[in-house]
Amino acid sequence: MIRLDNLTKVFDTPDGAVVAADHISMEVPRGEICVLLGPSGCGKTTTLKMINRIVRSTSGKVFLDGEDTSGLDTEALRRNIGYVIQQIGLFPNMTIEENITVVPKLLGWDKQRYKTRARELMDMIAMDAEAFLKRYPSELSGGQQQRIGVARALAADPPVMLMDEPFGAIDPINRAVIQDEFLKMQAELQKTIMFVSHDIDEAIKMGDRIAIFREGKLVQYSEPDELLSAPKNTFVESFLGEDRALKRLNLVRVRDVISDEIGTVVGNDTLTTARERIDAHGYRDAILLVDDRRRPIGVISRDTTGSHQGYCRDHMRGLPAVVNLGDDLRKVASLMFAHDTTWLPCVDDNGTLCGQITQRDMTHHLGSRYRARRSAADSEKPVGS
Amino acid sequence: MELLQYALDNLGLLGTRTLEHISLVGVAVGIATLTGVPIGIAITQNERVARAVLYVASIIVTIPSVALFGVMIPILSLIGQGIGYLPAVIAVLLYSQLPIIRNTYTAIHNVDPALREAARGVGMSQRQRLRMVEIPLAVPVIMAGVRTAVVLNIGVMAIAAYIGAGGLGTFISRGISQSDPRQLILGAVAVSLLAIIADYALLALQKRLTPKGMAVSSATA
């Protein structure tokens, strides 16, 4: 757990005092990722760096797991906090192994222990220990270097990690891969993480909570869905962008919106049966065809049932797309647009049909937060205004 | 031919003088390295001090060596060392400070701030940062400074023959006073060759001392 209590930084500049961070108080629960987000110069990085004293705070306190860190020795404090920076900062004079064991060595681990740890870490970041441990940072690609940077931060298994735009210098494709890998790792490691970003999409993807900064002040500190559906003021609104409702698509999974009511036919049903079911369910254009294990294999269009006779298996059309319960709505929306359809069948990990997702369900789900908020606001209005 | 014959006839003397020369420069630059590198590191802590130190070192280099020897004679005569080995070593020691201090300062000062931050972030003390990161990274540039000092001072040391310090300059000074071009040219050629060989030898050493990971990056860059 990380708790900041009125953390403040005032820089003395030739033009007078500049308050870079103004009485920041916030708490990151154990095992969560908190993304500090804001335009440049908003104080997010300063706030982060005061936690491991790369920047000295002017006033205020930092608590880690309930313990006031102001009594701790600076070096001891830093060795107990994983630190990842945008420029990666691997030591070019050291091998990969030396780089990732630097903190264990500083902590005085014996050789056997830190060597074993180096191999564990390489497994964790899915890099081949034999191939890489003896190489130098300059021989690695940017993405590989940043993985090593993360491994170095994790080396002594610190409970807390600070990450300053860790994936900012990596190309977008690799960045997405590394973000996914990191989230997978975090699901197991359950570190308490503060993460600076200026990328709203990254924040939504990585953050359990998001803290929006502006001009040294913490403006809003909420969970991503809350943030996007209920921005506190116009600054937050404009920072999140006009398309913030669309960004929420990333946060909602198919399983949150799925309706399990779906009519289907099997190959041995006749087209007449298909027509009856299409009408019974009120479908506009087609009905789903599943195999004997309820896996979607095609669709029977309404037009076909009118113009042809016979069994469904002989008249099916290809399936436009299928979505998984774990997919996010952004992917669903994208598939719907691509295939010009308003609904898609949903399957579980075995490929078995679980239900369907419709555009109506999606807009309804996303809109419900706004409606709830508006009605709450309305009810607060004094009578007669 | 005549020159070659002279050199062959005096091969023993040439060897002795060369060794003297190497030892004079070696001792002087060796001590200069031991003093210059710590000074160069120390002044990275304070920019104003750094500027003052580098300024003084630059001024010293502008003093002609003959003048420097002249100044030292009365001072060192107080301890009976007015001429000979000691003033020669001191002169070279002083001349060597600038390239060594300046290169050390520049190298440490120019260590990538991100690396410095990473080193702080993993919890290295200032001493550990110097030992594990900053000095290893600075070694190639520091060594380049030592090389400059050596090459520069192999020439300066030739003049030290005039204050009886020995070395290859002896051939030159005798060649002039005895109007003997053979000795003059032998001394001059020997000094030049020594400078070139020393430069290459130190370059090889510099490459060896360069941390491996950095050699890789400069090779691929």
Side-chain angles (χ1 to χ4, degrees):
Chain A
M1 183 203 76
I2 305 171
R3 185 156 71 84
L4 311 183
D5 179 20
N6 283 305
L7 205 54
T8 301
K9 177 68 192 182
V10 182
F11 284 112
D12 287 317
T13 68
D15 305 328
V18 172
V19 183
D22 191 359
H23 295 88
I24 306 296
S25 295
M26 59 191 291
E27 187 172 322
V28 187
R30 185 190 297 267
E32 290 198 357
I33 300 180
C34 163
V35 179
L36 310 184
L37 185 67
S40 51
C42 67
K44 55 190 194 297
T45 303
T46 306
T47 302
L48 182 88
K49 290 183 177 180
M50 280 191 282
I51 297 171
N52 66 350
R53 297 195 205 147
I54 295 290
V55 173
R56 291 263 163 198
S57 59
T58 308
S59 65
K61 285 186 170 167
V62 177
F63 295 85
L64 298 182
D65 285 331
E67 188 191 0
D68 183 357
T69 59
S70 51
L72 293 174
D73 167 62
T74 301
E75 273 89 46
L77 172 73
R78 288 176 183 160
R79 287 169 197 174
N80 205 25
I81 297 177
Y83 190 43
V84 184
I85 56 176
Q86 181 182 359
Q87 309 89 333
I88 309 175
L90 295 183
F91 306 121
N93 54 319
M94 300 184 190
T95 60
I96 298 307
E97 180 165 23
E98 288 166 338
N99 264 290
I100 60 180
T101 56
V102 83
V103 180
K105 275 186 204 161
L106 290 169
L107 288 169
W109 291 19
D110 64 61
K111 196 172 174 181
Q112 190 55 48
R113 187 168 164 214
Y114 68 66
K115 291 235 166 199
T116 314
R117 180 63 180 158
R119 280 167 173 73
E120 273 175 32
L121 288 164
M122 293 301 275
D123 284 346
M124 209 187 281
I125 55 170
M127 281 175 74
D128 182 11
E130 295 315 312
F132 287 105
L133 279 181
K134 296 296 168 211
R135 291 169 73 176
Y136 287 91
S138 53
E139 299 172 90
L140 271 55
S141 72
Q144 289 170 332
Q145 288 190 25
Q146 192 52 288
R147 285 188 183 85
I148 299 296
V150 171
R152 178 174 66 184
L154 287 168
D157 203 19
V160 169
M161 284 181 80
L162 305 178
M163 308 179 82
D164 183 10
E165 299 199 24
F167 310 132
I170 298 167
D171 65 87
I173 294 172
N174 269 310
R175 189 188 311 152
V177 173
I178 293 187
Q179 284 169 342
D180 292 337
E181 284 177 4
F182 185 78
L183 285 175
K184 210 184 285 175
M185 230 157 57
Q186 163 66 3
E188 267 179 45
L189 297 174
Q190 297 283 310
K191 302 291 181 197
T192 309
I193 298 170
M194 274 235 197
F195 187 116
V196 165
S197 179
H198 61 257
D199 176 357
I200 169 79
D201 293 310
E202 180 175 64
I204 292 166
K205 180 172 180 183
M206 305 298 287
D208 296 305
R209 282 151 200 274
I210 297 176
I212 305 266
F213 280 72
R214 183 197 190 187
E215 290 170 0
K217 288 194 168 67
L218 177 58
V219 182
Q220 181 167 6
Y221 183 40
S222 317
E223 289 175 11
D225 198 45
E226 172 76 22
L227 182 75
L228 289 168
S229 57
K232 233 179 202 170
N233 58 29
T234 48
F235 167 75
V236 178
E237 250 172 46
S238 69
F239 188 77
L240 296 174
E242 298 284 340
D243 62 341
R244 59 185 178 279
L246 288 181
K247 291 187 199 303
R248 288 186 64 209
L249 291 174
N250 288 326
L251 295 170
V252 185
R253 304 279 152 188
V254 169
R255 67 167 60 86
D256 303 328
V257 189
I258 189 171
S259 86
D260 47 14
E261 192 206 306
I262 180 169
T264 57
V265 288
V266 293
N268 287 335
D269 288 330
T270 59
L271 289 177
T272 319
T273 315
R275 180 56 181 255
E276 283 163 18
R277 288 199 191 145
I278 288 174
D279 290 339
H281 284 92
Y283 294 154
R284 235 185 27 223
D285 38 50
I287 189 164
L288 190 68
L289 178 68
V290 295
D291 67 6
D292 49 3
R293 283 154 73 185
R294 273 189 76 72
R295 287 179 302 202
I297 47 175
V299 292
I300 304 296
S301 76
R302 191 187 178 98
D303 298 343
T304 313
T305 60
S307 56
H308 293 73
Q309 295 287 319
Y311 291 102
C312 289
R313 60 173 175 268
D314 303 322
H315 295 280
M316 72 174 189
R317 278 193 293 123
L319 208 55
V322 174
V323 293
N324 193 284
L325 283 178
D327 288 336
D328 61 44
L329 293 196
R330 187 187 176 90
K331 179 178 171 186
V332 178
S334 171
L335 285 171
M336 282 181 178
F337 295 148
H339 295 287
D340 187 21
T341 177
T342 57
W343 67 279
L344 285 171
C346 313
V347 297
D348 62 16
D349 288 336
N350 300 322
T352 311
L353 184 71
C354 302
Q356 64 172 336
I357 184 165
T358 65
Q359 273 184 10
R360 180 90 196 88
D361 295 336
M362 285 165 63
T363 49
H364 188 79
H365 184 90
L366 293 177
S368 60
R369 289 293 290 267
Y370 289 104
R371 279 193 302 281
R373 202 177 134 223
R374 204 171 308 130
S375 59
D378 289 343
S379 64
E380 278 169 19
K381 274 182 196 159
V383 179
S385 70
Chain B
M1 267 342 273
E2 202 186 348
L3 180 70
L4 200 60
Q5 190 59 46
Y6 179 80
L8 288 174
D9 289 345
N10 294 284
L11 210 54
L13 186 62
L14 182 64
T16 315
R17 293 289 184 224
T18 307
L19 285 180
E20 272 174 17
H21 208 100
I22 292 172
S23 113
L24 280 163
V25 175
V27 168
V29 177
I31 297 171
T33 308
L34 293 181
T35 56
V37 173
I39 292 174
I41 292 169
I43 61 175
T44 54
Q45 301 302 314
N46 186 322
E47 205 170 319
R48 200 178 290 175
V49 174
R51 242 178 291 155
V53 168
L54 290 172
Y55 189 65
V56 171
S58 311
I59 288 178
I60 290 174
V61 179
T62 64
I63 303 172
S65 48
V66 176
L68 193 57
F69 291 136
V71 170
M72 275 192 290
I73 290 170
I75 298 170
L76 292 176
S77 292
L78 296 175
I79 54 166
Q81 300 279 348
I83 57 167
Y85 190 82
L86 189 63
V89 167
I90 290 178
V92 170
L93 182 66
L94 289 175
Y95 286 138
S96 302
Q97 294 299 318
L98 180 67
I100 293 174
I101 293 177
R102 188 179 49 201
N103 278 34
T104 305
Y105 170 76
T106 310
I108 300 275
H109 201 254
N110 287 352
V111 166
D112 182 353
L115 287 180
R116 201 169 281 142
E117 185 176 328
R120 290 168 71 202
V122 296
M124 289 185 191
S125 65
Q126 193 177 11
R127 227 167 245 255
Q128 287 164 331
R129 291 205 300 273
L130 271 174
R131 184 167 54 81
M132 298 169 77
V133 180
E134 294 173 11
I135 293 179
L137 295 180
V139 158
V141 182
I142 295 175
M143 274 306 295
V146 172
R147 253 172 73 207
T148 311
V150 167
V151 173
L152 179 81
N153 285 302
I154 283 176
V156 169
M157 200 52 99
I159 297 164
Y162 280 104
I163 55 165
L168 290 166
T170 318
F171 287 109
I172 299 172
S173 62
R174 293 222 176 120
I176 292 170
S177 60
Q178 296 170 9
S179 299
D180 180 357
R182 291 175 312 176
Q183 289 191 56
L184 181 66
I185 294 170
L186 179 64
V189 170
V191 168
S192 311
L193 278 179
L194 184 59
I196 292 168
I197 292 166
D199 193 32
Y200 274 97
L202 287 169
L203 183 64
L205 182 65
Q206 177 182 335
K207 282 189 178 155
R208 269 194 78 142
L209 290 177
T210 303
K212 246 174 135 188
M214 294 175 69
V216 171
S217 68
S218 57
T220 53

